């Protein structure tokens, strides 16, 4: 069975500071990994995904993530955050069988 | 274009009402999904349709009835709901049901 752990439920950060949202997964088979963002009262928007190939993945809005197979991690980073990045962020994993397993989410709060 | 549309945006219904949620995509995706999301929680998978056939039902109560009339359209029929069914209902689609899922904006349902 697969599982996803987002290590921080809330991350407060000041505007223009760097941020890292942590995600660890467990799986006995190869997986595909995703980060989604959910702004208040909206659906989920795909930020980036790792399917194969380069372990450093770049996404929208200046975010990037690095797949680390040995540490089973897929941490999300942004070098300089904006107020508009305030949202809920979900890490998710699938082995390709149609079921997407989500972490519990990390609430990113960017303060001026 | 990675757009999934959902109607209505908001829905209020009584416990004896019958209503339907609608989801549409025109990306040629062959898999479509219904999720339920409670506040401050990740989405929970309800149903998966693959090539217009129901492939996954996550033990959802029969008061929720999915329907996939064609490859672009997914409905969720609601009958005799309970107040605890109040939530954000999200639809998603993916090209082949194996990897990347794209989400719609959701329907916020309130059951009185």
């Amino acid at each position: 069975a697969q599982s996803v752990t987002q290590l921080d439920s809330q991350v407060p950060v000041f505007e223009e500071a760097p941020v890292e949202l942590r995600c660890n997964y467990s799986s006995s088979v190869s997986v595909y990994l995703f980060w989604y963002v959910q702004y208040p009262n909206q659906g989920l928007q795909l930020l980036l995904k790792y399917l194969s190939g380069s372990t450093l993945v770049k996404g929208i809005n200046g975010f990037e993530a690095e797949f680390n197979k040995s540490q089973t991690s897929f941490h999300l980073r942004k070098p300089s955050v904006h107020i508009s990045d305030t949202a809920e962020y979900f890490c998710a994993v699938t082995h390709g069988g149609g079921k997407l397993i989500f972490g519990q989410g990390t609430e990113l709060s960017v303060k001026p | 274009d990675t757009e999934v549309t959902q109607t209505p945006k908001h829905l209020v219904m009584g416990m004896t009402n019958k209503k339907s949620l609608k989801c549409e995509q025109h990306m040629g995706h062959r898999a479509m999904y219904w999720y339920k999301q409670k506040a401050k929680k990740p989405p929970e998978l309800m149903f998966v349709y693959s090539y217009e056939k129901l492939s996954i039902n996550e033990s959802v109560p029969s008061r929720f009835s999915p329907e996939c009339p064609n490859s672009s359209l997914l409905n969720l029929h609601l009958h005799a709901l309970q107040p605890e069914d109040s939530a954000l209902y999200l639809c998603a689609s993916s090209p082949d049901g194996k990897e990347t899922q794209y989400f719609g904006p959701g329907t916020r349902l309130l059951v009185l």
Side-chain angles (χ1 to χ4, degrees):
Chain A
Q2 299 149 30
S3 66
V4 178
T5 302
Q6 291 184 240
L7 296 157
D8 306 294
S9 59
Q10 294 180 315
V11 173
V13 64
F14 287 107
E15 196 174 17
E16 297 184 11
V19 71
E20 179 180 80
L21 306 185
R22 298 180 292 167
C23 173
N24 284 90
Y25 69 93
S26 68
S27 177
S28 57
V29 298
S30 296
V31 294
Y32 305 124
L33 294 152
F34 307 87
W35 276 100
Y36 288 89
V37 60
Q38 187 173 33
Y39 299 103
N41 299 312
Q42 294 189 27
L44 273 68
Q45 182 181 7
L46 181 66
L47 267 182
L48 48 78
K49 59 184 176 181
Y50 172 79
L51 304 180
S52 65
S54 173
T55 57
L56 183 62
V57 180
K58 293 192 185 297
I60 62 171
N61 301 341
F63 284 93
E64 65 180 32
E66 185 153 21
F67 170 57
N68 188 319
K69 189 174 181 180
S70 62
Q71 297 188 5
T72 59
S73 67
F74 191 54
H75 300 333
L76 181 70
R77 301 185 183 99
K78 186 169 182 177
S80 175
V81 294
H82 303 288
I83 298 285
S84 59
D85 292 322
T86 294
E88 189 81 19
Y89 290 78
F90 291 100
C91 180
V93 63
T94 180
H95 64 71
K99 293 184 70 169
L100 198 56
I101 308 299
F102 287 93
Q104 288 300 305
T106 297
E107 184 182 352
L108 176 64
S109 177
V110 182
K111 304 176 186 307
Chain B
D1 183 11
T2 54
E3 189 178 26
V4 176
T5 59
Q6 290 187 244
T7 53
K9 287 191 183 345
H10 301 276
L11 179 62
V12 180
M13 61 187 289
M15 289 189 283
T16 58
N17 292 159
K18 282 187 181 181
K19 296 285 185 184
S20 296
L21 310 185
K22 179 180 171 182
C23 172
E24 206 159 357
Q25 57 88 14
H26 295 287
M27 298 176 281
H29 289 179
R30 304 318 301 249
M32 296 184 77
Y33 311 76
W34 279 116
Y35 287 85
K36 174 183 176 179
Q37 186 182 26
K38 299 286 259 184
K40 302 291 186 184
K41 296 290 187 184
E44 299 172 19
L45 183 64
M46 300 173 73
F47 303 103
V48 181
Y49 273 84
S50 181
Y51 292 85
E52 302 169 44
K53 287 186 170 30
L54 183 64
S55 60
I56 296 177
N57 177 342
E58 290 288 284
S59 303
V60 179
S62 59
R63 57 185 184 268
F64 295 91
S65 175
E67 178 196 19
C68 189
N70 58 58
S71 60
S72 299
L73 190 56
L74 185 66
N75 297 320
L76 185 63
H77 303 299
L78 314 172
H79 176 232
L81 294 194
Q82 304 297 310
E84 59 264 29
D85 296 321
S86 298
L88 180 67
Y89 287 84
L90 294 163
C91 175
S93 70
S94 72
D96 58 6
K98 292 181 181 175
E99 31 165 282
T100 310
Q101 293 183 27
Y102 298 91
F103 286 78
T107 293
R108 190 160 297 281
L109 174 67
L110 178 61
V111 182
L112 299 176

